[in-house]
Amino acid sequence: MRASSKVRYALYLMIDVAKHQEAGPVPLREVSVRQNISLKYLEQIASQLSKFGYLESIRGAQGGYRLAREAASISAGDIMRAAEGEFVSVACLDEEAEACPRQSHCCSIAAFWQGLHQTIDSYTDDVSLESLALTQL
């Protein structure tokens, strides 16, 4: 399994803002240069993260973005779900998906998929943006 570029870039964006916002709002063009990510793509991701209440946009000549909450209160899981939606390892765990036609055949393995889902959520929810910003140089 791989994390999508959208998830990775959302994490890079949030870490960058957390590390640089003390000097004032962080312009996306600066993040784009530092992280080597398309400005247009960052704009889309920043908009999504703002909708979820993790980033705050500051308008004007000295504008940019800052965290809408303390970095310690935002988890990697929060950022990942805001960027890409809920992680589900198999379609049958997706509450919005149609009923799986193989559901009656995979009862023995369903607990495995549920456990994987819970483990990933638990791990990503236990890692704060603050800890990522402190360890990422």
Side-chain angles (χ1 to χ4, degrees):
M1 290 184 282
R2 285 189 186 178
S4 70
S5 62
K6 193 173 194 182
V7 165
R8 291 190 322 270
Y9 293 170
L11 287 165
Y12 297 152
L13 169 59
M14 293 293 286
I15 292 167
D16 195 287
V17 170
K19 291 174 71 170
H20 294 96
Q21 70 178 359
E22 286 185 24
V26 180
L28 287 182
R29 79 181 91 71
E30 292 179 10
V31 177
S32 175
V33 170
R34 280 192 294 265
Q35 300 298 328
N36 194 28
I37 302 170
S38 157
L39 180 58
K40 289 286 187 194
Y41 201 25
L42 281 175
E43 288 169 348
Q44 293 172 10
I45 294 168
S47 174
Q48 189 80 6
L49 292 166
S50 294
K51 286 179 189 174
F52 277 81
Y54 302 125
L55 282 180
E56 188 174 77
S57 174
I58 310 299
R59 298 189 183 272
Q62 301 299 315
Y65 285 87
R66 66 179 175 210
L67 298 181
R69 301 184 351 208
E70 293 293 320
S73 72
I74 302 171
S75 73
D78 293 332
I79 297 165
M80 294 169 72
R81 284 185 291 275
E84 197 71 64
E86 187 69 34
F87 169 79
V88 290
S89 50
V90 291
C92 61
L93 295 179
D94 187 351
E95 294 174 3
E96 296 177 14
E98 293 182 32
C100 176
R102 296 188 50 85
Q103 194 168 19
S104 63
H105 302 295
C106 66
C107 295
S108 62
I109 199 166
F112 167 79
W113 295 120
Q114 186 64 37
L116 176 63
H117 175 76
Q118 290 171 343
T119 300
I120 291 170
D121 274 352
S122 176
Y123 178 75
T124 61
D125 287 341
D126 284 346
V127 178
S128 72
L129 176 58
E130 179 181 54
S131 67
L132 290 173
L134 290 173
T135 59
Q136 206 263 347
L137 299 174

